[in-house]
Amino acid sequence: MTAQTYWAEHALLDTGVEPGVVIETGADGRIKAVRRGAAAPPQGAVTLRGLTLPGLANAHSHAFHRALRGATQAGEGTFWTWRDVMYRVADNLTPDNYFALARAAYAEMALAGITSVGEFHYVHHLAGGARYDNPNAMGEALIAAAAEAGIRITLLDTCYLSSGFGAQPNKHQRRFSDGTAERWAERVSALKGDDNTRIGAAIHSVRAVPAEQLATVAAWAQERDAPLHLHLSEQTAENDACVEAHGFTPTALLSHHGVLGPRTTAVHATHLTPGDIRLLGHSGTGVCMCPTTERDLADGIGPARAVQEAGSPLSLGSDSHAVIDLLEEARAMELDERLHSRTRGHWTAAELLRAATADGHAALGWDEAGRIEAGALADFTAVALDSVRTAGQPYSLAAETVVFAASAVDVRDTVVGGRHVVRDGTHQLVAHVPEALAESIAAVRG
């Protein structure tokens, strides 16, 4: 990595949108200095047109779901019928074809301004459940894919042991399971992070990890100060089954077993009771909303504003990759709240961008990212202000224009660790991303 100077036509700083911002990056991949009020680029600086934002954080991803886009949109159904299609793709994954698919999907993320991804990874073993010779072959394929695509990854290695409360994994889920949480912990402990990679933990859901084994996963994350993520109350059927099995809602069950807390992020949190909201907020547990997936699967509208007011920081994820567009996720969170409440203006554009940047990175264990300031990781992205979607507004409204009108196609540049990964809308590391997606999806669709 070499030092580089960038000149942002406009940039979102802690003081708001500022014109003419010089961003100096060092050989260590961090921002060395930020200077405001530069009317023109310094000699040798790389120009970033439009609005430069901190890099976007995709806090919840299942990379192989990218192969489902379009295929699950025809006809009717529910989350549960969608899941059957998803299992058929999961059955076809190997370390090699998963690497190719993830590399292409992560390249698409870079093109959308995403600099860090939280990969909620549960396809661990061979079909049928036998381990690969390298038990972490699938996880290491994802780590390598992110590195080649030029984005950071938090591999949220997922404990998945049951098909339901007290039920054995079904034929599709056997390759997800390590048998026990202790064996999961033994395997995941062999994974190694690096400058581009953090290793975290995940509990797939309360239906997939027996209650008596939840604390094992939570303890593994606590001992390493690692992020811990989990799917929570995405479906009312899961809530009902949990109450029947344990007498608690999923949130209360997690609280009882010490899973909640500031290192923990609950994904979806769609169907919560008022008591659940208090438990999440009072414990400082984060909540990751995935609006494009939640509406695609007809899950419902989660109480995002209520959990934030209770004390839970919010992050955003593209989850099933019905689209990969964190600006759309941010916009959708506000617009869904408007539909639910029939009032407008629940978050400012700056607050929505914070969920998509600083709070998302923090949820993934990258606390030093998500800000354009000296000492932060040199991860940022530039969004055009002169496209057919964004043209016409003064720079003072640039944040509002980007959040409520721009899309991933308006991202022009993405810089990760000071390296110009996307330049003028073209990925510099993965040639012909659409072709890479098409080929890798065909390989896993069968």
Side-chain angles (χ1 to χ4, degrees):
M1 195 72 64
T2 58
Q4 180 63 63
T5 298
Y6 293 89
W7 178 80
E9 186 177 30
H10 303 93
L12 182 65
L13 307 181
D14 57 358
T15 52
V17 176
E18 301 280 356
V21 176
V22 175
I23 306 169
E24 296 180 8
T25 69
D28 60 355
R30 291 181 179 262
I31 297 173
K32 291 175 57 180
V34 176
R35 301 198 306 274
R36 298 164 170 82
Q43 186 174 2
V46 176
T47 295
L48 302 174
R49 296 292 180 189
L51 177 63
T52 296
L53 307 169
L56 304 176
N58 188 352
H60 189 66
S61 163
H62 303 288
F64 77 91
H65 290 191
R66 178 60 182 83
L68 302 174
R69 186 183 299 176
T72 57
Q73 313 306 321
E76 300 176 349
T78 65
F79 167 86
W80 306 103
T81 55
W82 169 87
R83 191 176 69 160
D84 291 338
V85 180
M86 179 269 288
Y87 282 155
R88 291 197 290 273
V89 172
D91 288 344
N92 294 330
L93 294 174
T94 68
D96 288 342
N97 67 28
Y98 202 6
F99 164 80
L101 176 57
R103 176 176 176 267
Y106 295 155
E108 182 182 357
M109 291 183 196
L111 288 167
I114 292 164
T115 58
S116 296
V117 60
E119 184 59 40
F120 200 100
H121 165 55
Y122 54 81
V123 186
H124 302 305
H125 308 303
L126 289 156
R131 291 193 172 197
Y132 289 99
D133 291 340
N134 171 6
N136 286 309
M138 296 292 264
E140 290 177 4
L142 293 166
I143 290 170
E148 289 208 10
I151 68 172
R152 303 182 194 278
I153 186 171
T154 298
L155 187 73
L156 298 161
D157 195 287
T158 304
C159 189
Y160 193 135
L161 307 173
S162 170
S163 66
F165 298 94
Q168 292 298 310
N170 66 31
K171 64 179 182 179
H172 304 290
Q173 298 164 341
R174 288 177 194 137
R175 69 182 312 192
F176 308 164
S177 176
D178 288 293
T180 66
E182 288 77 12
R183 291 193 68 201
W184 166 86
E186 179 184 4
R187 178 184 55 76
V188 73
S189 294
L191 285 163
K192 304 300 181 185
D194 54 40
D195 289 345
N196 199 67
T197 307
R198 302 263 159 98
I199 306 299
I203 292 165
H204 180 273
S205 55
V206 293
R207 72 176 185 273
V209 178
E212 66 274 11
Q213 299 190 58
L214 293 169
T216 299
V217 185
W220 185 94
Q222 183 177 16
E223 289 165 5
R224 293 160 178 80
D225 197 24
L228 172 62
H229 288 218
L230 54 99
H231 293 132
L232 178 65
S233 292
E234 185 177 2
Q235 298 293 321
T236 55
E238 179 179 85
N239 287 359
D240 294 342
C242 187
V243 171
E244 182 176 355
H246 297 291
F248 294 110
T249 65
T251 303
L253 184 69
L254 294 166
S255 178
H256 182 71
H257 289 277
V259 176
L260 303 184
R263 284 186 311 277
T264 301
T265 298
V267 181
H268 301 304
T270 308
H271 303 285
L272 302 178
T273 68
D276 294 338
I277 292 171
R278 288 192 294 272
L279 284 171
L280 292 172
H282 291 174
S283 63
T285 301
V287 172
C288 178
M289 305 301 294
C290 305
T292 65
T293 292
E294 289 149 7
R295 68 192 184 195
D296 180 60
L297 298 182
D299 288 342
I301 299 171
R305 188 67 206 174
V307 294
Q308 187 179 53
E309 290 176 346
S312 294
L314 297 177
S315 55
L316 295 164
S318 64
D319 191 4
S320 70
H321 311 316
V323 297
I324 292 176
D325 188 340
L326 262 289
L327 299 175
E328 172 63 20
E329 303 294 346
R331 173 166 58 244
M333 187 165 70
E334 165 67 25
L335 298 183
D336 284 354
E337 191 74 20
R338 292 181 186 187
L339 287 174
H340 177 71
S341 66
R342 292 182 288 177
T343 59
R344 303 173 74 239
H346 301 277
W347 293 276
T348 66
E351 288 170 335
L352 293 169
L353 287 171
R354 180 178 176 85
T357 58
D359 287 346
H361 289 292
L364 298 177
W366 297 98
D367 299 84
E368 65 273 52
R371 303 175 303 282
I372 299 176
E373 63 181 38
L377 292 173
D379 299 356
F380 38 90
T381 186
V383 183
L385 295 177
D386 58 357
S387 76
V388 294
R389 287 160 295 280
T390 60
Q393 298 304 320
Y395 82 80
S396 60
L397 293 175
E400 287 76 10
T401 300
V402 164
V403 170
F404 290 101
S407 70
V409 74
D410 295 310
V411 171
R412 306 310 305 153
D413 298 89
T414 301
V415 175
V416 183
R419 179 169 62 170
H420 213 153
V421 174
V422 173
R423 185 188 292 262
D424 295 328
T426 300
H427 203 292
Q428 303 299 293
L429 307 177
V430 179
H432 310 298
V433 176
E435 289 88 342
L437 284 163
E439 291 173 5
S440 60
I441 289 170
V444 302
R445 289 284 297 277

